Amino acid sequence: MTTDRTDPVVSATALRALLDSGADVVLLDIRRDAERGLRHEYEAGHLPGAHYVEHSTQLAGVRTPESGKNPLPTDDQIQAAVTGWGIHPSSTVVVYTRGAAPPATRAWWVLTWAGVPDVRYLDGGLDAWTAAGGELTTDEPAPGGGTFQVRTGSLPTIDTDEAGALARSGLLLDARPSEAYLGDAEQPGQGHIPGALSVPYSDNLDEDGLLRDDESLRALYVGHGVDGVTPLGLYCGGGVGATTGILVLHRLGIPAALYPGSWTQWSADPTRPVATGTEPG
C-alpha cells in the first residue's frame, strides 16, 4: 500500500461513506474519447455534485507541432480550474470516468502534480458507483470559489532527452497497447523508444475495469525490473494512459516520472530513433 498519508484510490463503497460523513469532497467527472469531450454523457447522468472536466482545456496545455498531444497545462490554466471546481486546502478531490482508467488517472496525476494534497481515483468509475447503489443526477453544480493555490512540479516529469537516457540506462515503460509498441512496417508512426519495455496500461486492470490487487500489480512491475531504486519513467501515446501505471506505482510506494510529451512528441522528430518488434528493441 502507499507510503503517503492517504491512499490515492477509493472504492465506490468507501466514497459513499465519505460523502455521508459530511467531509469536504470535490467530485470531478472526466469523460473523453480519443479526440473530444463527452459532455452529453455527463449531462445524461453523473455523481451528485460532480463538476464536468474539459480535458483539452483544463488538464492539458495548447498543443504545438513539437509538444506532443497533451502537453502539461500552464499554472494559470490549472489554477483557474482548481478555483472553479471549488477546491480548498482541506478538500478531498475524487476523480472518475465512465469506467476505463486513463482519463481519470490523468486528472489524478495533474492535480497531484499541481500540489493538491488529497486526490483520489474512484476505482471502477461510474460503473462501480452505480453497481454499489450510488445515485446519479442531471443537476450541475455552480462554479466554486476554491482557495487552494497550486504548486506545479509536485510529481516528477522527464523530457525527451531524459526519456531516451532512461531507456538506455534506467527503466522506461511504454503504456500503449502492445500492437502500437511492436509497430508495423506498413503502419508508419508506430514502434517504440529503443530500450523501452512494454507494459500496457490495461495490464493494471482486471476484467471488470477495476485495479488489480496490490500483490499482482507489484509482481507485474517487478517482473519488468522495477525495484524502487532504478530511475523509472513511463510514457504512452499522449501522456494520458501512462498515468494509470504511475498511480499504481505511487500506491505501491515506488516513484516514477511521466514523460508528458510521450510517443507523439518523440515520433514528431524523424531524426529520433524508433524500434519495432519485441522488447527491449
Side-chain angles (χ1 to χ4, degrees), residues 7-102:
D7 188 341
V9 179
V10 63
S11 69
T13 301
L15 175 58
R16 292 187 68 182
L18 186 63
L19 292 169
D20 289 344
S21 74
D24 174 18
V25 180
V26 176
L27 297 171
L28 301 180
D29 184 303
I30 307 95
R31 307 195 208 188
R32 65 186 285 270
D33 64 11
E35 299 295 339
R36 64 186 188 278
L38 296 171
R39 186 177 180 91
H40 64 282
E41 290 192 357
Y42 164 82
E43 292 172 343
H46 50 267
L47 272 65
H51 295 268
Y52 177 74
V53 175
E54 180 57 56
H55 179 275
S56 62
T57 61
Q58 294 177 308
L59 298 180
V62 176
R63 183 179 182 180
T64 71
E66 298 80 26
S67 67
K69 187 174 182 179
N70 299 292
L72 298 182
T74 65
D75 287 14
D76 288 345
Q77 269 183 291
I78 195 62
Q79 182 65 69
V82 163
T83 300
W85 294 327
I87 297 176
H88 301 288
S90 61
S91 298
T92 294
V93 182
V94 178
V95 297
Y96 72 91
T97 188
R98 287 175 297 179

Side-chain angles (χ1 to χ4, degrees), residues 11-273:
S11 69
T13 301
L15 175 58
R16 292 187 68 182
L18 186 63
L19 292 169
D20 289 344
S21 74
D24 174 18
V25 180
V26 176
L27 297 171
L28 301 180
D29 184 303
I30 307 95
R31 307 195 208 188
R32 65 186 285 270
D33 64 11
E35 299 295 339
R36 64 186 188 278
L38 296 171
R39 186 177 180 91
H40 64 282
E41 290 192 357
Y42 164 82
E43 292 172 343
H46 50 267
L47 272 65
H51 295 268
Y52 177 74
V53 175
E54 180 57 56
H55 179 275
S56 62
T57 61
Q58 294 177 308
L59 298 180
V62 176
R63 183 179 182 180
T64 71
E66 298 80 26
S67 67
K69 187 174 182 179
N70 299 292
L72 298 182
T74 65
D75 287 14
D76 288 345
Q77 269 183 291
I78 195 62
Q79 182 65 69
V82 163
T83 300
W85 294 327
I87 297 176
H88 301 288
S90 61
S91 298
T92 294
V93 182
V94 178
V95 297
Y96 72 91
T97 188
R98 287 175 297 179
T105 56
R106 166 77 178 205
W108 168 84
W109 189 93
V110 169
L111 288 170
T112 305
W113 167 78
V116 179
D118 187 2
V119 188
R120 309 187 196 184
Y121 163 75
L122 175 58
D123 197 13
L126 193 75
D127 295 341
W129 173 258
T130 55
E135 297 181 352
L136 302 180
T137 183
T138 57
D139 295 337
E140 298 187 28
T147 59
F148 182 80
Q149 297 298 306
V150 302
R151 301 180 300 277
T152 55
S154 296
L155 284 179
T157 60
I158 53 175
D159 62 20
T160 299
D161 289 341
E162 291 167 327
L166 270 184
R168 294 189 299 271
S169 60
L171 278 173
L172 185 67
L173 305 182
D174 185 320
R176 295 173 300 155
S178 57
E179 57 267 24
Y181 171 89
L182 294 171
D184 187 323
E186 297 180 359
Q187 295 181 298
Q190 292 192 1
H192 56 272
I193 298 172
L197 303 180
S198 177
V199 185
Y201 80 82
S202 58
D203 286 0
N204 296 285
L205 308 174
D206 67 16
E207 60 186 10
D208 296 318
L210 298 168
L211 292 172
R212 292 165 56 191
D213 65 89
D214 285 0
E215 182 178 356
S216 61
L217 287 169
R218 190 179 295 278
L220 169 69
Y221 286 100
V222 168
H224 285 85
V226 174
D227 57 12
V229 177
T230 304
L232 173 63
L234 278 75
Y235 76 98
C236 52
V240 177
T243 61
T244 301
I246 293 177
L247 169 72
V248 165
L249 290 161
H250 184 84
R251 192 183 196 205
L252 295 174
I254 300 171
L258 174 68
Y259 173 24
S262 282
W263 182 249
T264 50
Q265 184 176 48
W266 181 275
S267 62
D269 184 345
T271 68
R272 294 192 186 109

